Amino acid sequence: LPTPPARLPYVPHVPPTALLGKVTATTFALERPHCVFDRHANASDAVWLAVAFANASATFRNPPSRADVPPYKQLPTARSYMTLETAAAAYSCSSCSAPSPSVLRVGGDTACRDLGRQDPCNGPLPSPGPYRVKFLLMGCRGPKAETQWSDPILLHRAVSPSTIDPAPTRRGSDVVVIASILASLGAVLATAVLGILGAKVWSSLCHQDLGTDSFTRRSYRTHHIPPALPQPLPPGCRCSPPGLCCSVPQPPAPCQRI
Amino acid sequence: MAKSDDCIHILQGLLVFGNVVIGMCGIALTAECIYFVSDPHGLYSLLKATENDDIYAAAWIGIFVGFALFALSILGIVGVIKSSRTLLLVYIILMLITFAFEMASCITAATHRDFLTQNLFLKQMLERYQKSEAASNNGNEVTKTWDKLMIQNHCCGVLGPSDWQEYTSAFRLAHSDADYPWPRKCCVLDAQGLPVNLDGCKLGVPGYYNSNGCYDAISGPVNTHVWGVAWFGFAILCWTFCVLLGTMFYWSGIEY
């Protein structure tokens, strides 16, 4: 009878650091386990990640050998799968100093989903809903050690943009100020123009003088009248109207009898 | 009547000065509105796609109003100096028409600014960015504008990259969430336009992606545009109001 795998106290968890993409709609990230499997692992062992729906984690059975590992494609039916097969040396204490991916991204490989390969496939998760994971150390003769199940990890669920309401929440005060002041200025101007034009029309109809204004500005066209010099009459000047041409009064000619 | 003559001269001087200021402000308004219409920040296609481009209509009106103010101010100066009733009457009537147009421009600009909310841009971006219909020209313009915005201002989305996670979008229909939690343009790009660290960008590691939203880069120029058109126009109109009242008072005192 194979010995049951050792239960390690490590609990897989989403990294606590502030990473915006640590949980998306189809992927999530896990902190990379360090120094967890060193007591039980030797060079040929591999560490797998078992992913199951939160309500199916209790019924998950460790596969007895590598050939029985549930593949990614069976997730909808078997409600669990295993992926991220990695050499145990990658998680050993001596690799602590190189944090090359210090997180593991579950669901980041779209190529294996689309091409349908049978190898352990780290394909995107098909639904948001909550998952539990654990690490499983598999040797040549079956599972040697396993960690605890993680807390349920719930993925994002996106809503439709039609729920966004683009209407402004409140009317800005700028508009009220500008509109009210300009409207009143415009009204005053219009009233003033109508009033002045009306007053002019009324006064011109009634022929009344507006001499009581505070100032009357008469516009003059000034004529410059030079001082009149006595000029000799040109010959043949006829007085028309009488008296205008003749600048020097002449004594009346004695009446001559014909 | 020396005192009355002095008053007349002072009023004439004030009116000429007022018209000079109106003329200069008219030129300034025209220049400013031409600058806004030329769209130096490339935001016009975003606004046109949301059918909310009336602030550009207000700027167009401002260009012509500025010219009109300049021309009318010259007419006003000539009319005041020559004390001509006809010229001044024409001046007053045309100025009232220009006043009405500028009023419309100011109120339009100020009102439509309120419609340009964050949610408006968010909804439009989600619905049209990278929309893959070939027939939709609007969609391509929106995509190009957003790409340019995100690259130039080192920003992502309207409020941040989480916009792409919180809502489904046309982008999400074309690109899977696992490969593209947010568009590639949100990543920090190198000189060739490729992400410096694609995995870091997908995970959201600080330093490999742009974490702030582009709304500030949009609302800044839009606010400048609106304040320049609405409030400057408002100031010009207040000044013009005073000058027009003075001109009407002067006109009513001219008698043949």
Side-chain angles (χ1 to χ4, degrees), chain A residues 21 24 26 110 159 166 172 217, chain B residues 114 117 166 168 177 179 203 255:
Chain A
T24 72
T26 56
T110 46
V159 295
R217 175 82 172 84
Chain B
D114 285 343
T117 55
E166 281 177 48
T168 60
D177 171 81
D179 274 338
L203 268 175
E255 291 205 0

Side-chain angles (χ1 to χ4, degrees), chain B residues 23-73:
Chain B
M24 294 197 299
C25 287
I27 295 182
L29 183 68
T30 298
E32 176 198 49
C33 288
I34 288 179
Y35 172 71
F36 289 137
V37 165
S38 72
D39 195 25
H41 296 277
L43 297 174
Y44 177 68
S45 41
L46 283 189
L47 296 179
K48 189 160 86 105
T50 62
E51 323 262 314
N52 258 321
D53 57 348
D54 286 320
I55 60 175
Y56 285 89
W60 276 106
I61 296 177
I63 295 178
F64 296 112
V65 163
F67 270 130
L69 285 176
F70 176 66
L72 285 178
S73 72

Side-chain angles (χ1 to χ4, degrees), chain B residues 74-224:
Chain B
I74 296 179
L75 177 68
I77 292 174
V78 169
V80 163
I81 290 180
K82 290 176 70 168
S83 293
S84 155
R85 279 172 78 96
T86 320
L87 281 183
L88 285 181
L89 187 62
V90 169
Y91 167 82
I92 288 173
I93 291 177
L94 289 181
M95 261 299 203
L96 280 181
I97 297 175
T98 310
F99 191 96
F101 272 103
E102 181 60 18
M103 238 174 75
S105 164
C106 291
I107 295 180
T108 301
T111 309
H112 281 90
R113 170 67 191 96
D114 285 343
F115 288 121
L116 301 176
T117 55
Q118 277 181 345
N119 282 346
L120 180 73
F121 290 112
L122 180 63
K123 186 165 182 167
Q124 182 220 54
M125 177 187 79
L126 291 170
E127 287 175 356
R128 301 209 202 198
Y129 179 71
Q130 299 236 2
K131 196 164 175 191
S132 51
E133 281 174 30
S136 161
N137 278 335
N138 265 347
N140 282 338
E141 283 303 314
V142 171
T143 304
K144 277 192 262 186
T145 308
W146 270 107
D147 284 340
K148 201 159 64 91
L149 258 182
M150 292 201 284
I151 294 176
Q152 277 179 354
N153 297 295
H154 306 291
C155 59
C156 183
V158 173
L159 299 168
S162 49
D163 292 342
W164 304 102
Q165 286 291 308
E166 281 177 48
Y167 298 98
T168 60
S169 53
F171 173 77
R172 181 60 61 228
L173 289 176
H175 303 275
S176 71
D177 171 81
D179 274 338
Y180 295 85
W182 32 79
R184 288 282 185 267
K185 300 286 190 285
C186 292
C187 301
V188 173
L189 302 174
D190 59 12
Q192 278 82 33
L194 298 171
V196 168
N197 184 336
L198 187 57
D199 289 326
C201 179
K202 287 191 209 173
L203 268 175
V205 179
Y208 293 121
Y209 76 112
N210 300 320
S211 55
N212 43 318
C214 296
Y215 183 64
D216 287 336
I218 298 176
S219 70
V222 165
N223 279 340
T224 310

Side-chain angles (χ1 to χ4, degrees), chain A residues 224-237:
Chain A
H224 180 66
I225 303 175
L229 296 170
Q231 292 184 4
L233 276 179
C237 165

Side-chain angles (χ1 to χ4, degrees), chain A residues 20-21 24-26 103 105 107 110 156 158-159 161 164-166 168 172 175 181-182 185 189 193 196 200 217 219, chain B residues 8 96 103 110-111 114 117 119 123 165-168 177-179 203-204 209 231 234 237 241 248 251-253 255-256:
Chain A
L20 194 62
T24 72
T26 56
V103 299
R105 193 160 184 250
T110 46
H156 283 156
V159 295
I164 303 175
D165 180 20
V175 182
I181 294 182
L182 286 185
L185 292 185
L189 278 181
V193 165
I196 288 180
K200 292 296 179 188
R217 175 82 172 84
S219 80
Chain B
I8 293 164
L96 280 181
M103 238 174 75
T111 309
D114 285 343
T117 55
N119 282 346
K123 186 165 182 167
Q165 286 291 308
E166 281 177 48
Y167 298 98
T168 60
D177 171 81
D179 274 338
L203 268 175
Y209 76 112
W231 284 105
F234 176 74
L237 287 183
F241 171 77
M248 285 192 245
W251 183 85
S252 67
E255 291 205 0
Y256 286 113

